[in-house]
Amino acid sequence: DAGVTQSPTHLIKTRGQQVTLRCSPKSGHDTVSWYQQALGQGPQFIFQYYEEEERQRGNFPDRFSGHQFPNYSSELNVNALLLGDSALYLCASSLSQGAYEQYFGPGTRLTVT
Amino acid sequence: AQRVTQPEKLLSVFKGAPVELKCNYSYSGSPELFWYVQYSRQRLQLLLRHISRESIKGFTADLNKGETSFHLKKPFAQEEDSAMYYCALREVNRDDKIIFGKGTRLHILP
């Protein structure tokens, strides 16, 4: 099991553009959470998906949206990119039942110029 | 509002010396506390959680509800402990979002 995988590894976009980041959860996991980690900061919760629906949301604008597919993989979409959206985006997967532990992916480094 | 505070951005400790990484939280409900670690060029991973009450890689952390603290301790630092450490909080039985502190970089000196 490769664990949580994310693509792409790095991405450079221009202000105003749109971006889609992808995440495949650890085998057997059904819940996916997304975090934004700015330089020098801890990860900040964006939202969580379970059963193809957004279950929880952090303090992020509507420009940030997501999707979960029937195979539990997930996408994070960011519209109208701002310079401040430059960060490492982390995906974490977990199992909705049982002991709660989130497994993190390696992240996607997004640079907005 | 829920908050996790790690007062030290960087902590340098000599090999063999004791380590204490501080974490304080503000939360009115019933929290679950974690320590996550990120070694160089590796992904963020769970180190320990307070409900497990176990020692991982020699590290322990005790939840002190009176002082709202969850400090991470190790009696004898090893060079391989050098990493970024994040304290985190989750609201038990209410939601699954995890709130992270800003992290402390632990540097073990030879």
Side-chain angles (χ1 to χ4, degrees), chain A residues 50-70:
Chain A
Y50 170 66
E51 291 189 338
E52 302 180 47
E53 289 191 1
E54 184 181 294
R55 184 162 74 169
Q56 280 275 294
R57 189 175 184 94
N59 190 25
F60 279 80
D62 292 346
R63 297 187 298 109
F64 289 76
S65 63
H67 189 76
Q68 186 179 35
F69 299 94

Side-chain angles (χ1 to χ4, degrees), chain B residues 79-104:
Chain B
E79 287 191 60
E80 54 265 34
D81 295 330
S82 291
M84 196 74 186
Y85 291 81
Y86 295 95
C87 182
L89 173 155
R90 181 176 81 98
E91 185 173 352
V92 177
N93 297 326
R94 183 152 176 201
D95 62 39
D96 293 326
K97 71 180 181 185
I98 297 181
I99 297 169
F100 285 84
K102 292 186 177 182
T104 298

